[in-house]
Amino acid sequence: MSLPTDHPTYLALDAWIDAHFDEEVRTLQALVQVPTDTPPGNNAPHAERTAELLTGMGLPVSRHPVPAADVQAYGLQSITNLIVRRAYGEGGPTVALNAHGDVVPPGEGWTHDPYGGEVVSDATGGQLYGRASAVSKSDFATYIYALRALEAVARPQRGAIELHFTYDEEFGGELGPGWLLAQGLTRPDLLIAAGFSYQVVTAHNGCLQLEVTLHGTASHAAYPETGVDALQAANRLLTALYAHNEVLRGRRSSVAGITHPYLNVGRIEGGSNTNVVPGKVVLKLDRRMIPEEDAAAVEAEVRALIEETIAACPGIRLEIKRLLLAHSLKPLPGHEKLVAPIQRHGEAVFGEPIPTSGTPLYTDVRLYGAQGIPAVIYGAGPRTVLESNAKRADEHLALADLKRATRVVARALHDLLQPD
């Protein structure tokens, strides 16, 4: 039977978090101050700093460096994944909490140091600025201090908690959670992954990324008839791809928060000079897949569209290379065990209902789902990605959300490890 949300145990957890909140903020600042731009993806130094902080808190941590050859073949420089494992007794589930430390480079337009961890006070409790302050170094702090609060106030008598801190979500997660799972280094029963505070995400889109290369024949612009213009073929292909979005808009998802599939061409490279007919053009495209779609069927459809379009372009040779295939996340049986306590305590702490929803993003949480591990996405952050400026200039986190999310996660962990 669930305890009332104002039970002294929960209030004691809240009080511990309040008393240690300045320390939690300093921990997050220390994590933001170590860059993890990916690319280039030299992320082992951040893992080492995180391990130092954990050890200083009395949380032994195991370091799991990914072999350098695998990392470099992936296009990155160094990855060390971390696991903190806390076992409490026989029986009960193992609940893992995962957050990723890698992040896109800061880019232009910042008015705060992207690696400063600067706190700007305001009437709501302040904002902490820096790259990854919201996504998702914030949840390194959320999960560490939720675990510490639980052990200090209401140490469980059964089950286990693991913290997974990984470093390649921006590249798909295969050398983060995917690698830890494939190596047999962890096999949790339930997973909570980094997210935002005002919703419990139970599903997300998949993503297919392709590199399409069109080979023509370069020639002098004064004699265009002697060449085969790859850029003209690319123009024809772009028209076909964007027209396909009209078809995709008619495929609606039944998952709240997810609308329809979409295809985006994110990068184009081609040509050698203004007076040369382009002999080669490379396009990189991103096809978002709703949870109801089959990934193999989607890839076949996109490839067929490209091949049929280019077949009508004489003299063009086509290459298609898959860059990424990230499956969608679908709710698995047992995920309600996670949803129920997060919603119950989220409403008590935030004073409003915390709905379940999907997200059009894709995450490395899908890799746990692929192993049959029920998972949800919940952590510290605003109502939308845009509010936090995640992946844009002046990314920031409201400290009030950090404190309240830490309370919710600590309370939920307490409930998950209680006897049935």
Side-chain angles (χ1 to χ4, degrees):
M1 178 180 294
S2 298
L3 301 172
T5 56
D6 61 353
H7 188 275
T9 298
Y10 300 135
L11 299 181
L13 288 169
D14 294 351
W16 190 95
I17 291 163
D18 290 352
H20 293 80
F21 189 64
D22 287 347
E23 180 186 340
E24 182 175 0
V25 172
R26 289 194 297 272
T27 297
L28 177 53
Q29 289 176 303
L31 296 171
V32 168
Q33 287 162 358
V34 180
T36 48
D37 297 356
T38 305
N42 182 27
N43 293 333
H46 190 276
E48 188 58 37
R49 178 60 174 142
T50 303
E52 291 173 357
L53 292 168
L54 289 164
T55 301
M57 299 173 195
L59 294 173
V61 57
S62 56
R63 298 166 172 84
H64 300 284
V66 180
D70 294 342
V71 176
Q72 291 162 12
Y74 211 52
L76 303 178
Q77 294 181 356
S78 69
I79 295 175
T80 299
N81 297 309
L82 305 177
I83 297 178
V84 172
R85 184 172 287 112
R86 308 295 282 172
Y88 302 113
E90 296 296 324
T94 295
V95 182
L97 302 104
N98 169 245
H100 68 92
D102 60 304
V103 66
V104 299
E108 303 289 333
W110 286 75
T111 63
H112 302 268
D113 181 351
Y115 304 113
E118 178 187 357
V119 172
V120 177
S121 299
D122 61 25
T124 68
Q127 311 282 332
L128 191 152
Y129 284 83
R131 177 53 87 224
S133 60
V135 181
S136 72
K137 291 177 183 177
S138 55
D139 285 330
F140 279 49
T142 304
Y143 299 158
I144 290 168
Y145 282 82
L147 170 61
R148 290 187 63 197
L150 185 67
E151 292 196 345
V153 171
R155 187 180 180 88
Q157 299 302 306
R158 64 169 205 153
I161 294 174
E162 294 181 356
L163 305 181
H164 298 174
F165 297 137
T166 55
Y167 287 93
D168 81 325
E169 198 269 351
E170 299 294 346
F171 270 50
E174 297 292 347
L175 295 186
W179 189 82
L180 291 176
L181 291 163
Q183 297 297 314
L185 296 167
T186 182
R187 178 67 194 193
D189 299 297
L190 300 165
L191 175 82
I192 300 172
F196 287 167
S197 304
Y198 296 87
Q199 58 186 335
V200 186
V201 173
T202 59
H204 68 59
N205 275 352
C207 181
L208 168 68
Q209 294 181 352
L210 298 176
E211 180 181 86
V212 180
T213 304
L214 306 180
H215 296 276
T217 302
S219 67
H220 197 293
Y223 305 97
E225 67 279 0
T226 65
V228 179
D229 193 333
L231 188 55
Q232 286 194 37
N235 181 52
R236 190 165 185 167
L237 178 57
L238 288 169
T239 299
L241 291 173
Y242 285 126
H244 187 58
N245 273 327
E246 293 303 315
V247 176
L248 299 183
R249 287 188 181 92
R251 301 178 187 174
R252 311 298 293 189
S253 176
S254 62
V255 178
I258 296 176
T259 55
H260 56 75
Y262 192 78
L263 191 152
N264 179 68
V265 178
R267 188 173 179 86
I268 302 173
E269 301 174 12
S272 58
N273 206 348
T274 54
N275 63 346
V276 178
V277 171
K280 177 181 175 181
V281 174
V282 179
L283 296 82
K284 294 184 180 181
L285 63 87
D286 178 302
R287 166 65 158 83
R288 295 296 159 128
M289 299 177 285
I290 61 176
E292 291 86 348
E293 290 187 297
D294 176 76
V298 167
E299 183 165 4
E301 179 183 51
V302 176
R303 284 177 175 267
L305 175 60
I306 295 169
E307 290 165 358
E308 291 167 8
T309 303
I310 299 305
C313 301
I316 297 294
R317 181 170 61 87
L318 171 67
E319 290 182 76
I320 305 176
K321 177 184 176 182
R322 183 205 289 173
L323 301 176
L324 172 73
L325 180 59
H327 291 268
S328 60
L329 175 69
K330 303 176 180 69
L332 293 176
H335 82 286
E336 62 279 353
K337 295 178 183 177
L338 295 161
V339 171
I342 292 174
Q343 284 189 312
R344 191 166 74 93
H345 292 295
E347 182 168 1
V349 171
F350 282 85
E352 62 182 82
I354 306 297
T356 60
S357 73
T359 177
L361 305 172
Y362 74 90
T363 78
D364 52 13
V365 181
R366 73 190 191 282
L367 299 168
Y368 293 93
Q371 297 294 319
I373 300 166
V376 300
I377 300 173
Y378 184 81
R383 297 177 191 277
T384 70
V385 172
L386 293 178
E387 289 179 45
S388 69
N389 275 3
K391 298 194 176 182
R392 300 190 299 174
D394 284 347
E395 180 178 350
H396 59 277
L397 175 71
L399 294 180
D401 287 341
L402 176 63
K403 179 185 289 188
R404 291 183 291 191
T406 306
R407 290 178 177 178
V408 172
V409 173
R411 286 166 167 239
L413 289 174
H414 173 271
D415 290 2
L416 289 166
L417 297 182
Q418 291 304 300
D420 295 328

